[in-house]
């Protein structure tokens, strides 16, 4: 029996085909007709949901290597700023925690670069960074120092101190009206990609491990890539975004 070969060509399915999938074959413009039962389960890769790796109780410590750090993840917020209790399904995934261990650093060229974030520091990290591990019944995250967005010494995101080549921006308010004067609803307001820089990191490292200051200064109004960075909501209701300096496209004046 010849095997059915699937290609990466675009696939189109008509509404009528979708309605009759159970009773008949579906017409695909890319590779003809597929009869029910033609594709076996082996043709599809299963969806795997990865949970945190659990460290057995016999291990008493975790020592990150290289430029990695171990972070104790902050617990998810159980209430809104207005005091409303959130169900577990509505609680947002935390992006912050406390550094509990650090690696020995890394080497760039001939220079040894130590990790600049000390243990005990409260940090904010990129949303999808690192590997979760459960240690002593507490969730931790092992991630690279470069995945740390910044330091946060208070409980308000507006006080974030960005690290490395990160820039912290207060997002401009969305336009309330169109150019013709029509009032926009919340659902039709376009997400702005303009804001004011309120803090910048020390800079990125060059090939010799030396810090190169960023060409962006606080107070600048900038245009940045629409889908870059990590979004945050401040206690005052303002929107903020932390992104890399390379995602800033222009300075406006």
């Amino acid at each position: 029996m010849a095997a059915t070969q699937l290609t990466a060509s675009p696939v189109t399915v008509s509404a009528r085909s979708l309605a009759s999938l159970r009773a008949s074959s579906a017409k695909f413009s890319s590779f003809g007709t597929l009869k029910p039962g033609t594709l076996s389960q082996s043709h599809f890769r299963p969806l795997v949901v990865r949970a945190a790796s659990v460290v057995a109780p016999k291990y008493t410590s975790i020592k990150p290597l290289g430029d990695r750090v171990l972070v104790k993840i902050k617990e998810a917020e159980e209430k809104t700023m207005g005091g409303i209790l959130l169900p577990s399904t509505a609680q947002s995934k935390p992006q912050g925690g406390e550094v509990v261990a650090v690696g020995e650093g890394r080497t760039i060229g001939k220079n040894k670069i130590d990790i600049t974030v000390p243990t005990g520091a409260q940090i904010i990290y990129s949303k999808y960074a690192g590997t979760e591990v459960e240690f002593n019944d507490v969730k931790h995250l092992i991630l690279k120092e470069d995945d740390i967005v910044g330091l946060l010494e208070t409980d308000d995101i507006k006080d974030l101190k960005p690290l490395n080549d990160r820039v912290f921006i207060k997002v401009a308010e969305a336009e309330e009206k169109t150019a013709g004067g029509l009032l926009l609803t919340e659902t039709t307001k376009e997400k702005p990609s303009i804001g004011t820089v309120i803090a910048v990191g020390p800079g990125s490292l060059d090939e010799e491990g030396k810090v190169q200051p960023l060409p962006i200064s606080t107070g600048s109004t900038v245009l940045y890539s629409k889908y870059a960075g990590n979004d945050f909501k401040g206690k005052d209701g303002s929107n903020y975004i932390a992104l890399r300096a390379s995602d800033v496209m222009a300075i406006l004046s």
Side-chain angles (χ1 to χ4, degrees), residues 95-165:
Q95 278 184 252
E98 178 186 353
V99 176
V100 294
V102 300
E104 67 275 10
R106 56 178 171 152
T107 300
I108 299 180
K110 298 180 179 180
N111 297 320
K112 175 74 164 49
I113 309 299
D114 294 325
I115 290 180
T116 59
V117 180
T119 57
Q122 299 292 326
I123 65 165
I124 300 295
Y125 49 81
S126 296
K127 184 175 293 185
Y128 303 109
T131 299
E132 279 194 18
V133 294
E134 189 171 311
F135 179 59
N136 290 338
D137 296 324
V138 178
K139 286 187 177 181
H140 292 73
L141 191 70
I142 299 178
L143 70 162
K144 291 193 173 185
E145 183 185 21
D146 190 53
D147 289 322
I148 298 176
V149 174
L151 304 177
L152 187 61
E153 299 174 352
T154 71
D155 58 354
D156 195 340
I157 193 64
K158 71 178 180 62
D159 298 320
L160 180 73
K161 296 178 180 178
L163 296 178
N164 303 320
D165 61 341

Side-chain angles (χ1 to χ4, degrees), residues 9-247:
S9 304
V11 180
T12 57
V13 184
S14 67
R16 181 175 298 175
S17 297
L18 289 174
S20 59
L21 275 176
R22 293 182 180 178
S24 62
S25 60
K27 300 286 185 177
F28 290 85
S29 62
S30 300
F31 40 79
T33 303
L34 295 180
K35 299 292 184 182
T38 303
L39 297 180
S40 65
Q41 188 175 2
S42 61
H43 286 90
F44 300 93
R45 298 182 65 182
L47 176 65
V48 178
V49 179
R50 298 186 183 277
S53 301
V54 179
V55 179
K58 65 180 181 179
Y59 301 106
T60 58
S61 67
I62 299 178
K63 172 63 177 175
L65 298 177
D67 59 343
R68 291 176 174 82
V69 300
L70 178 66
V71 178
K72 181 181 177 181
I73 299 176
K74 181 181 178 181
E75 293 184 0
E77 295 290 340
E78 296 183 354
K79 293 183 180 180
T80 65
M81 288 184 291
I84 300 175
L85 190 65
L86 292 170
S88 58
T89 54
Q91 295 173 9
S92 59
K93 181 182 177 182
Q95 278 184 252
E98 178 186 353
V99 176
V100 294
V102 300
E104 67 275 10
R106 56 178 171 152
T107 300
I108 299 180
K110 298 180 179 180
N111 297 320
K112 175 74 164 49
I113 309 299
D114 294 325
I115 290 180
T116 59
V117 180
T119 57
Q122 299 292 326
I123 65 165
I124 300 295
Y125 49 81
S126 296
K127 184 175 293 185
Y128 303 109
T131 299
E132 279 194 18
V133 294
E134 189 171 311
F135 179 59
N136 290 338
D137 296 324
V138 178
K139 286 187 177 181
H140 292 73
L141 191 70
I142 299 178
L143 70 162
K144 291 193 173 185
E145 183 185 21
D146 190 53
D147 289 322
I148 298 176
V149 174
L151 304 177
L152 187 61
E153 299 174 352
T154 71
D155 58 354
D156 195 340
I157 193 64
K158 71 178 180 62
D159 298 320
L160 180 73
K161 296 178 180 178
L163 296 178
N164 303 320
D165 61 341
R166 297 303 204 294
V167 179
F168 192 50
I169 297 170
K170 183 177 182 180
V171 179
E173 296 290 334
E175 293 293 336
E176 299 285 342
K177 295 181 180 180
T178 66
L182 296 177
L183 192 64
L184 295 170
T185 63
E186 289 297 326
T187 55
T188 55
K189 290 179 182 177
E190 184 178 357
K191 179 184 175 183
S193 54
I194 294 175
T196 302
V197 177
I198 59 175
V200 298
S204 55
L205 299 178
D206 62 17
E207 295 179 354
E208 297 180 355
K210 296 180 180 179
V211 176
Q212 299 297 315
L214 300 179
I216 303 167
S217 58
T218 57
S220 299
T221 300
V222 296
L223 176 68
Y224 55 85
S225 180
K226 184 173 292 187
Y227 302 106
N230 291 266
D231 298 302
F232 304 97
K233 176 78 75 173
K235 284 193 170 183
D236 60 355
S238 299
N239 293 311
Y240 298 88
I241 187 169
L243 40 75
R244 295 187 183 277
S246 58
D247 290 320

